[in-house]
Amino acid sequence: MQGILGPISGYLSDLGPSVVLPVLITIFGLILGLRLGKSFRAGVTIGIGFIGINLVIGLLGGQVAPAATAMAQGLGVNLDIVDVGWPSSAAIAFGSSIGAMIIPLGLVVNVVLLVTGLTRTFDIDLWNYWHSALIGALVGAMTGSYLLGLLSAAVHLALILALGDLTAPIVQKYFQLPEISFPHGTSAPYGLLAIPMNWMFDRIPGLNRVDATPEAIQRRFGLFGESLMMGLVLGLLIGVFGYGFDDPAEDAKAILTLAISLAAAMFLLPRMVAILMEGLMPISEAARGFVQKRFPGRTFYIGLDSAVAVGQPSVIATSLLLVPVTLLIAVALAPAGNRVLPLVDLATIPFIVAVMVPIFRGNIVRSVIGGGLLIGAGLFIATWIAPTFTKVAVASGFALEDGQATISSLVDGANPLTGVFYAAARLGTPGVLVVAAVCLAAVLAVRQVMARRDRAAAAAAEEGAG
C-alpha cells in the first residue's frame, strides 16, 4: 500500500496547495451543487490567491533572512542547528513512510468524526496534512514502530480538527469568515495556548488597559499608523539592527530595500487574501445551503489554511515585530540550551500567530508578548527534537547541505504539540497510548463546549425573539 500511495503523496507535495486546492475546490463545489463553470472559476481564483500570498511571503523571506543572518553574525552567536523552514519540513514529512498514508488516513479520520458529530470541520486543505505526517514520522522514528507513528498522526489530525472547531467562532467573527475554521497544524495549537494567556493578560494591571489594535495605533499616530507605513518603519528598524552601517553605501541600500519590501508586504497581503476570498465565497454559500437542506439543525465549517488570515494588519504587524524579537530571544536563550538559529521560517511567523491574534482581540502588544513567550519555549522543543528530525529527514531522502550536521525548524519543530508527542514517544508505547487517550478526551471535551455554545446561542435568540 505504501508503495502505491507514496508516489501519489509525493506528487501532491510537489504540486503544492496552489495547484491541489483549485482541483479540490472544483470537485467540492460540484458536490455542493454548483455549476461546473462556477466551481472551476472559484477553484482557480483560490489558487491565484494562494500564489499571490506565497509570492508576498517569499518576498518577506528573501528580505528578512539575510537581515537575520547579519544580525546573528553581528551578535557573535553560534547556533549550530539550522532552521530549514516549512518547505523542507513538508517535503520531509511527505517523503516519510507515514507521509505515504497521510492523505487517505486524514480523509478517513475527518469523515468518521463528521459522521459521528465529533467535529464540524470538513478540512479541504489536504496538503497541510503534512503537519500530522511529521508528528507520526517523529514518533515512528523514536519508538521504532510504524503503527504507533500512524496512530499518532491520526490522533493529531483529530485534535487539530477539534481545535479548529474550538476557535472557529472567534476566527469567523474577527476575520469576517463565515463557516470557516483553521484546522492548521501550525496555527491551531498556539491558538489554544493563547486562550489562558489572554485571560492572564486581562488581569495584569497596566497591560489590561493598553489598546494596541491597528485602528487605535492609526488614530494615535496618523499616517505612521497605517499598515504600509508600519511595514516601512519596521523594515528600517530590522535593517538597522541587522546590517548596521559598516559599509554605509551597501548597508543603506540593503536597509532601504528591506523597508520598502516590508511596506509592500503589508500593502499587498490583504489584497491577495481578498482575491482568495472572492473565490471562496461561492463555495461557502453553497456549503451553507447544502448543509441546511440535508442536515437541518447541524452546523459545518470549511477547514482552510490559515493563509487566508495572514494579510490582516494585526497579524502581519505582529509577525514583523516578532522577527527581531525571535532572533534576540534565540540569542538570549543560547546559554540556557537553545541551539536553533531561526532563519527560513521567520517569514512564516504570520502562520504561528494567525489564531492567536483574534484571541488577543487584535492587540499587537499582547500578540507580540504571547508570541515571543511561546516561540521562545518552542526553540527548546526544536533543539530537543533536532537529532530525530535530522534522522527522519535523511531517511526521507533529504540532502543535508555542507556544514549541516543537525537540522530542525520553527514550523513545526518548535510547535507545542510536537513537544507533547515527542515526549510521549520517548516513553515508548505507554506514553504514546496515554497521549492518544488524552487527545481523544480533548476532542470529546471540545464537542461539549460547542454544544454549550449552541444552547447559549439558541437561548439568546429565543429571548431576542420574545
Side-chain angles (χ1 to χ4, degrees):
M1 181 68 73
Q2 293 180 47
I4 298 172
L5 296 175
I8 296 174
S9 291
Y11 184 65
L12 290 174
S13 173
D14 291 339
L15 287 176
S18 303
V19 176
V20 174
L21 267 179
V23 176
L24 295 175
I25 290 292
T26 301
I27 295 171
F28 189 45
L30 292 173
I31 293 172
L32 295 175
L34 286 177
R35 297 190 308 275
L36 175 60
K38 196 168 185 178
S39 296
F40 183 65
R41 187 184 189 283
V44 172
T45 303
I46 288 173
I48 291 169
F50 264 101
I51 288 173
I53 290 170
N54 287 331
L55 285 172
V56 179
I57 294 295
L59 172 67
L60 278 175
Q63 291 295 323
V64 168
T69 303
M71 187 182 296
Q73 292 172 346
L75 293 169
V77 66
N78 182 26
L79 301 173
D80 62 326
I81 298 177
V82 178
D83 165 26
V84 294
W86 74 264
S88 296
S89 299
I92 291 166
F94 274 121
S96 69
S97 58
I98 303 295
M101 295 291 294
I102 196 63
I103 289 179
L105 176 66
L107 286 171
V108 168
V109 168
N110 199 172
V111 169
V112 168
L113 293 181
L114 281 169
V115 170
T116 57
L118 290 175
T119 188
R120 297 180 176 183
T121 294
F122 178 51
D123 188 4
I124 62 174
D125 186 22
L126 307 187
W127 193 84
N128 267 314
Y129 285 1
W130 75 262
H131 299 282
S132 299
L134 183 62
I135 292 289
L138 290 170
V139 171
M142 178 56 64
T143 61
S145 170
Y146 176 76
L147 290 179
L148 286 178
L150 208 60
L151 172 65
S152 298
V155 171
H156 182 265
L157 282 161
L159 182 59
I160 292 299
L161 287 168
L163 294 180
D165 288 345
L166 181 67
T167 56
I170 301 170
V171 163
Q172 291 168 6
K173 181 179 179 180
Y174 186 77
F175 294 115
Q176 297 298 300
L177 298 171
E179 280 83 50
I180 298 299
S181 67
F182 292 154
H184 189 192
T186 297
S187 308
Y190 290 100
L192 176 65
L193 294 175
I195 295 172
M197 293 182 80
N198 192 56
W199 181 90
M200 180 181 68
F201 291 157
D202 281 337
R203 285 154 181 80
I204 296 177
L207 182 60
N208 57 8
R209 292 193 296 272
V210 175
D211 184 2
T213 62
E215 295 79 14
I217 292 172
Q218 186 168 354
R219 284 197 303 270
R220 176 168 295 184
F221 295 102
L223 174 65
F224 287 95
E226 294 181 12
S227 59
L228 79 163
M229 295 302 293
M230 282 195 288
L232 185 73
V233 172
L234 289 172
L236 289 172
L237 292 175
I238 294 170
V240 169
F241 277 114
Y243 295 112
F245 288 100
D246 294 333
D247 184 343
E250 288 300 316
D251 289 338
K253 177 182 174 182
I255 292 168
L256 292 173
T257 301
L258 175 61
I260 292 297
S261 297
L262 296 196
M266 292 284 281
F267 185 80
L268 291 174
L269 264 176
R271 284 151 178 79
M272 297 303 103
V273 173
I275 292 172
L276 190 150
M277 293 307 302
E278 180 184 337
L280 183 62
M281 289 313 297
I283 301 295
S284 179
E285 292 169 4
R288 187 185 305 114
F290 184 89
V291 169
Q292 290 174 348
K293 181 178 179 181
R294 291 168 177 80
F295 303 96
R298 288 193 64 181
T299 301
F300 288 93
Y301 305 141
I302 300 173
L304 288 179
D305 190 322
S306 55
V308 300
V310 300
Q312 203 276 341
S314 288
V315 174
I316 192 63
T318 296
S319 305
L320 293 179
L321 285 168
L322 277 172
V323 168
V325 169
T326 297
L327 287 166
L328 292 173
I329 289 174
V331 172
L333 294 179
N338 171 52
R339 294 169 52 200
V340 175
L341 173 63
L343 192 61
V344 180
D345 271 337
L346 288 172
T348 57
I349 290 177
F351 296 87
I352 292 176
V353 303
V355 179
M356 296 177 66
V357 167
I359 292 170
F360 292 136
R361 300 186 291 274
N363 189 306
I364 296 172
V365 170
R366 291 190 181 198
S367 300
V368 170
I369 294 172
L373 290 172
L374 293 179
I375 291 173
L379 289 171
F380 291 110
I381 298 173
T383 299
W384 189 34
I385 72 163
T388 307
F389 187 97
T390 306
K391 177 181 176 181
V392 170
V394 172
S396 300
F398 183 80
L400 298 179
E401 297 180 6
D402 292 339
Q404 286 184 348
T406 313
I407 61 173
S408 192
S409 71
L410 208 58
V411 178
D412 277 0
N415 194 286
L417 279 185
T418 304
V420 170
F421 278 91
Y422 189 72
R426 290 178 67 90
L427 297 174
T429 301
V432 174
L433 294 179
V434 167
V435 166
V438 170
C439 289
L440 293 177
V443 171
L444 293 171
V446 170
R447 183 188 184 189
Q448 296 302 314
V449 170
M450 301 301 290
R452 286 198 297 271
R453 285 177 177 174
D454 289 343
R455 289 194 294 270
E462 189 174 321
E463 183 179 340

